[in-house]
Each structure stands twice: as C-alpha cells, then as structure tokens.
C-alpha cells in the first residue's frame, strides 16, 4: 500500500514536469534553423552556464583550437546588426529571420563576402575599428547555409570558439537553443551533489547544514534518490539551496542546469527554468546563487527561494517565494528536489525531515545580536550613506536583500588624494550600480581632470579605476561593488611598442603590422594608426593588448608609391607609421615607426 502511494506521488510529479516541458517544446519552431558550423555539434560551454555576473546567453561551439572555420547562417534572413568591439563579443553578427527570431554569431575572426566588404568600407568611412550598427530594413540578405564569417577568438574569449545565440526579436530575450532541436539529444540525467539548508535571520540568512548526496548517504527507491538520514529542523523559517551538475555525451562536458524545483510534502514551492531571459536581468545571478558563499568558496549554490529584490523572470513559486515556515508544517514530512535537462532527463531527490522540539538556536541569536545597532540597506528604498568626504547613493534596484553594513576609514596613503573609505563588504552583491562621490583632500594644481576614483575589494587588494568626473572639489562615479574607495591621479600616458615579426626579413614578407598598446590605470580610450599620414584600419584585441593592421588596399597603394617614386611625388623611402593612443584621463602617446617596404 505504501509503495503504491509513493508510485502515485512520482507519477503526479513526472506528469507535472513533462506537462511543463511539452508546453515549452511546442512553442519553438523545430527544423527551421540549422547548426551554424560544419563540425558535429559538440560544445565547450552550453546555455545558462553560471558565470561572473551573468548566465551564459548562448552556446559555445568547439572549433578544436582553430580559428578560421566557416560559420553559416542558421536560416534565411538579413543582417540586422553588426557590432565590432575590442572586448565582449569581439566581431559579432546578428541575423534577423522571418519567423520572429534572431541569431547571433560572436567572437568571429573575420566576416565574409559582401558583409565583409561593407564593414571594411564603413570602418574606413568612419575611421573607426569599433562600431555598433543596427539595420532596421533588409539590406545585406543571407540564405540558410551561406558563409557569413570565419570563426575566431575575438573579444573577451578564452580560446577559439563560436558563440551562438538565439533571440526572440520582439522581446529581445535570449532563448535556450536546445529548444529549437538543433542540438544533440542528451541522455544523461543531471546529478545533485549537495543540498544546503539555510535559516532565515533578521537580515539575510545563515547556512546551517550541507548534505552531500552520494551513494553512501542516499539510495534509489522507486525512481527516487532518497537520503538515508532524516533532516532535523526547528519550527522556524528555512530556505534550501542546491549544488547540481549536468553532462552531455560521455560526461566530459559539464552543462548548466536547465531546470530545478523544490517541493514540500507534495506542494510546489519553487521552480527555476532557463528557457529564456532578458539581458538586463542576467545579473540576477548574484541573487540566484548564495553570493557570499561563492565569493569565499568559489562554489555556486543555486537557491530554492527568491530574495525580495530578485526580479529574475525564470521562477515560479508559491506565495512564500520558496521559503518554508516550518512552524506551519507537519512535524514529519519530506522535501523533494528535482533537477532536469532540456531533454527531459530528471533526477528526483527525497529527504525526510522531522521537527525537533523547540530549543534555542544559539547561532541565530548571536548572529542577530551582532547586527544590533548596525545601519541597514533595504532593497526597494533610496538610501544615502555618508562619512567624512564620502557619499554613496543607492536606488531601489541597487540591492537584492536587506543588508546591514559597516563603514570606516583607513589611514591615508601617499597615492590617495582623498580619505580612504571602506563601505560594506565585497561579498554582498550589488544589482544596479550606485553613485559614489569622494572629496579631494589636497590640492592637485590643475590636474583635477586626471583624478579617478579607485576601487579595491579590500585594502589589501589592487586598486582599479572606476573613472569619475570632477566637480567643485568632489569626484563622482558609479560603483558596481562594495569595498574600498579612494581618489588617485592618472598622469601616466599609455605605452606603445611595435611587435616585430618572428622571422627577420622584409616587412613585405609579413601580412600585418602588430603593436602592443597598454595603459596602466584608467585604460585606453582611443587608438589610431596612420600610414604616411592616412588613417588605416587597425584591429584592437584588448585581451592581448594587441593592435594589428592587416595589409589592405591602403598598404598596396602606399607600397606602390614607395617602390616607384619616379611616378609619384614622394620624399621618403620608408613607410612612416604613426600610432596614437589616449587613455581615459587624456594622457596621450604618439610614436612614429619607420618601416621598410
Ligand atoms: Zn559564449
């Protein structure tokens, strides 16, 4: 009888999970899009993998360490956007399709055909390598399977691959490509490594327990993984967290978690499903995970409850947003956690709980006592925090959860032109960047425009510029993190070096000129290269500090002129190359290079 009841429970849960999945699968066109490369579909990093400040918004297609593999249009359409950047997606292309979806191809090495020609012309016309151009009407049209570019490693990329994305053109939301049927079927169910038990306190939560889920302390019963120990809880408010992983193929490639849910005594409390999300909400990952734990332990625990300031659209929850008030729950019962992938492979974990007779929770008491008298920041409120020469202004969207803070000053150092302010802790996440202002405490004799606000996680870490604008003795900037702030001066211009080709020979043996450009503090704002006085197109790859000019028609014309001076009025026998780099504080470097044709 008992086993029959368990069977009914599983059946109803399975039903519910698959109902949700089917509704999703039918919504997206199947067979419309093709895989955008030749190689067999395998990936480095799938959709939704958790990263610093974001969920991975596409899939990374493996190119076996190579650049220059053809990239194909996934379906008929037209080029709707071209973005070229020194970082981020590097060289990216967006294609709009007639069925209301757009595809994105990023980190390209180069563009192809008519698209490449248009870009080259546009860059010369506007004298810029970097640009972001949106096309409202069809202009550059493509057919499914047309080569649109070659795969590469441009922008913020840690190795050659194609980043491929699918978007809903109307909502601009990013969609899980697995839902379009262009990816291989995955037959491995996700695994749960650990369940974390949190108790809610006056502000935030405290981690009470970690339950490792492996064969020693759990076993399979009727399709469920059942923890062998009963979880002892107080009649208090709890939340749960999950550390899970998913695999594709032979288990070598870890994936992001597509969906997980939490149930209490068969009533649904929380589900998170990564079908789609908007770019402006991807930073909610910092509220989605136990952020302090991640900052300290480097493990991302996904929470089964929603913070008040967390507006991520991927959740469905009960009224308590996944929190459980065990004072209202039966004294004996069970928790169920499910983790599933986009191919409906599901792992169910069941944990029995028992409420213990009420005892004072000393840990909770001492935690709450520690907060007494501390000022607190509250999500949804506008808050201004001040101390001598420091103002921080937070808006409604700055925080995810109530957070009590500490503010203090460090003794001044020689490089500081303000007091050194410590505001709260880098382990507390910030959603929308907040305003900070620091007061100048000593004269800088006309160098006010060289001042920047410098930020570090703690006073022992390296300081980085977060920029800033000077006005009436104060510098104003936006801060994305809590930590330590001070004013510093940047008066050092960027450095420019030529990287000579590896082999010694004439420059005509190479296909490009390469320069190493870097700035030690405020960062590079602009860079330009001129050949015999003419602006030439140089690619800037920020991750390698590399500026490269790939020989093009300007080189060919100038070379012709140098080699045949009798036909042209020319007074030089070498290429006169000027590299000009300016940082964010207006410090400028101009270097001339004489290069033999
Ligand atoms: Zn990617």
């Amino acid at each position: 009888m008992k086993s029959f009841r368990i069977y009914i429970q599983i059946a109803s849960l399975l039903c519910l999970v698959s109902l949700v999945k089917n509704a999703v699968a039918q919504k997206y066109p199947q067979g419309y899009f093709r895989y955008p490369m030749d190689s067999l579909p395998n990936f480095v990093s799938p959709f939704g993998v958790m990263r610093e400040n974001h969920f991975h918004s596409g899939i990374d297609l493996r190119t076996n360490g190579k650049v220059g593999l053809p990239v194909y249009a996934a379906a008929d359409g037209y080029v709707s956007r071209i973005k070229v950047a020194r970082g981020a997606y590097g060289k990216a292309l967006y294609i709009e399709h007639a069925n209301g979806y757009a595809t994105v191809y990023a980190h390209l090495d180069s563009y192809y055909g008519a698209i490449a020609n248009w870009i080259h012309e546009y860059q010369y016309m506007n004298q810029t390598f970097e640009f972001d151009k949106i096309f409202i009407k069809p202009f550059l049209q493509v057919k499914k399977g047309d080569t649109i570019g070659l795969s590469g490693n441009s922008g913020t990329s840690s190795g050659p691959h194609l980043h491929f994305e699918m978007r809903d053109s109307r909502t601009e939301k990013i969609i899980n490509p697995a839902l379009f049927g262009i990816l291989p079927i995955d037959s491995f169910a996700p695994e749960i490594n650990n369940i974390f038990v949190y108790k809610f306190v006056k502000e935030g939560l405290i981690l009470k327990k970690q339950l490792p889920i492996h064969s020693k302390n759990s076993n399979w019963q009727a399709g469920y993984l059942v923890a062998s120990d009963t979880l002892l809880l107080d009649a208090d408010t709890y939340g749960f967290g999950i550390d899970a992983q998913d695999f594709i193929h032979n288990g070598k490639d870890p994936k992001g978690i597509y969906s997980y849910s939490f149930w209490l005594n068969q009533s649904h409390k929380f589900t998170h499903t990564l079908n789609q999300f908007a770019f402006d909400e991807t930073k909610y990952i910092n509220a989605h995970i136990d952020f302090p734990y991640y900052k300290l332990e480097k493990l991302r625990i996904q929470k089964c409850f929603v913070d008040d300031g967390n507006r991520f659209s991927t959740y469905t929850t009960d009224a308590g947003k996944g929190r459980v008030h065990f004072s209202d729950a039966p004294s004996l019962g069970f928790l169920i956690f499910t983790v599933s992938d986009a191919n409906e492979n599901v792992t169910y974990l069941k944990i029995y709980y028992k409420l213990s007779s009420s005892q004072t929770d000393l840990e909770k008491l001492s935690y709450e006592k520690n907060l007494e008298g501390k000022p607190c920041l509250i999500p949804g409120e506008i808050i201004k925090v001040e101390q001598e020469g420091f103002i921080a202004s937070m808006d409604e969207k700055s925080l995810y959860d109530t957070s009590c803070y500490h503010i203090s000053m460090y003794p001044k150092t020689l490089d500081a032109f303000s007091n050194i302010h410590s505001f709260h802790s880098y382990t507390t996440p910030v959603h929308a960047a907040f305003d900070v202002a620091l007061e100048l405490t000593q004269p800088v004799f006309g160098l006010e425009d060289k001042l920047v606000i410098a930020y570090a996680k703690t006073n022992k870490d390296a300081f980085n510029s977060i920029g800033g604008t000077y006005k009436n003795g104060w510098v104003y900037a936006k801060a994305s993190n809590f930590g330590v702030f001070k004013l510093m001066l940047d008066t050092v211009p960027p450095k420019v070096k030529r990287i000579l080709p590896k082999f010694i020979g004439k420059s005509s043996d190479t296909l490009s000129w390469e320069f190493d450009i870097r700035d030690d503090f405020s960062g590079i704002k602009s860079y330009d290269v001129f050949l015999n006085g003419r602006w030439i197109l140089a690619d800037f790859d920020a991750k390698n500090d590399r500026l490269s000019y790939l020989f093009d028609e300007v080189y060919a014309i100038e070379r012709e002129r140098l080699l045949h001076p009798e036909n042209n009025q020319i007074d030089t026998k070498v290429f006169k190359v000027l590299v000009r780099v300016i940082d964010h504080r207006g410090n400028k470097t101009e270097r001339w290079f004489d290069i033999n044709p």
Side-chain angles (χ1 to χ4, degrees), residues 45 51 56-60 89 107 161-165:
S45 187
R51 295 190 177 167
H56 188 219
S57 56
I59 50 174
D60 288 347
Y89 281 3
H107 306 305
H161 72 280
L162 174 72
H163 173 95
F164 177 67
E165 240 171 63

Side-chain angles (χ1 to χ4, degrees), residues 332-349:
L332 181 73
F334 56 89
L335 316 169
I336 286 176
F337 298 91
T338 76
V339 185
S340 54
D341 64 22
N343 293 117
E344 302 185 20
N345 301 299
V346 191
T347 295
Y348 300 86
L349 169 69

Side-chain angles (χ1 to χ4, degrees), residues 106-280:
H107 306 305
L108 297 173
D109 190 56
S110 58
Y111 299 93
Y112 191 82
I115 300 169
N117 295 339
W118 184 89
I119 293 170
H120 191 77
E121 221 168 276
Y122 184 87
Q123 285 171 318
Y124 265 98
M125 211 163 67
N126 294 281
Q127 299 206 340
T128 181
F129 165 62
E130 294 178 68
F131 71 92
D132 185 3
K133 174 89 181 160
I134 290 169
F135 302 85
I136 310 287
K137 287 181 187 155
F139 167 56
L140 293 158
Q141 314 231 23
V142 293
K143 286 268 167 222
K144 185 175 185 174
D146 279 358
T147 303
I148 50 170
L150 300 179
S151 70
N153 190 29
S154 62
T156 313
S157 165
S158 55
H161 72 280
L162 174 72
H163 173 95
F164 177 67
E165 240 171 63
M166 312 247 4
R167 296 190 187 181
D168 182 318
S169 306
R170 191 179 53 80
T171 62
E172 295 251 301
K173 281 194 171 184
I174 317 140
I175 308 170
N176 191 338
L179 302 168
F180 293 88
I182 59 166
L183 302 181
I185 299 291
D186 167 9
S187 52
F188 289 81
E191 287 172 9
I192 298 173
N193 301 324
N194 290 284
I195 294 294
F196 293 81
V197 181
Y198 296 93
K199 189 181 258 192
F200 286 94
V201 290
K202 187 178 152 229
E203 163 248 42
L205 37 94
I206 42 178
L207 181 56
K208 295 297 288 186
K209 205 171 269 180
Q210 177 180 348
L211 304 172
I213 307 302
H214 48 67
S215 51
K216 270 189 201 151
N217 49 23
S218 59
N219 50 68
W220 290 98
Q221 286 173 20
Y224 276 93
L225 195 56
V226 180
S228 41
D229 285 342
T230 299
L231 181 63
L232 292 178
L233 300 170
D234 304 322
D236 214 327
T237 304
Y238 285 88
F240 298 89
I242 192 161
D243 161 29
Q245 58 188 337
D246 193 15
F247 298 101
I248 358 169
H249 299 313
N250 49 15
K252 276 187 194 151
D253 303 313
K255 289 205 308 185
I257 294 295
Y258 170 66
S259 180
Y260 67 96
S261 65
F262 162 52
W263 307 65
L264 175 80
N265 298 326
Q266 277 200 289
S267 68
H268 175 251
K269 306 300 279 182
F270 172 96
T271 297
H272 158 76
T273 305
L274 267 180
N275 282 325
Q276 50 172 284
F277 58 89
F279 260 104
D280 63 3

